[in-house]
């Protein structure tokens, strides 16, 4: 498995929690905006400068974030 920077894992963890919150409360503009900002931060993270992420890399990042973080669905503000 790859090694990802802590801040990238944290962004992915926040993205997952926000996505779950949006699934529970659809139509919430602030959650959609937060999800978009987190998506941009993850996709354009400096880690990906040398190579664009493959589907396998995204999967590994999601799994690592899931294992490393709180999966309660709460996002720190």
């Amino acid at each position: 498995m790859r090694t990802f920077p802590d801040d990238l894992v944290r962004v992915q963890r926040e993205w997952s929690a926000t996505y779950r919150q949006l699934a529970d409360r659809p139509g919430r503009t602030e959650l959609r905006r937060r999800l978009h900002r987190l998506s941009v931060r993850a996709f354009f993270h400096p880690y990906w400068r040398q190579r664009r992420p493959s589907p396998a890399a995204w999967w590994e990042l999601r799994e690592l974030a899931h294992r490393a973080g709180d999966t309660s669905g709460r996002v720190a503000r």
Side-chain angles (χ1 to χ4, degrees), residues 5-70:
D6 291 339
D7 62 329
L8 181 56
V9 174
R10 187 172 36 256
V11 167
Q12 178 60 47
R13 193 172 57 236
E14 290 176 22
W15 187 95
S16 296
T18 302
Y19 188 87
R20 284 190 303 274
Q21 288 177 345
L22 187 58
D24 291 340
R25 300 181 300 172
R28 299 295 299 254
T29 301
E30 70 275 5
L31 291 175
R32 287 194 327 263
R33 287 180 180 157
R34 179 165 176 73
L35 192 64
H36 183 264
R37 282 191 307 270
L38 290 167
S39 295
V40 168
R41 285 177 52 197
F43 190 78
F44 292 104
H45 190 278
Y47 177 78
W48 305 119
R49 280 199 183 129
Q50 298 299 319
R51 61 198 176 291
R52 293 313 308 162
S54 67
W58 283 118
W59 182 258
E60 288 180 34
L61 178 60
R62 287 184 67 207
E63 287 297 310
L64 181 61
H66 179 73
R67 285 195 315 262
D70 176 20

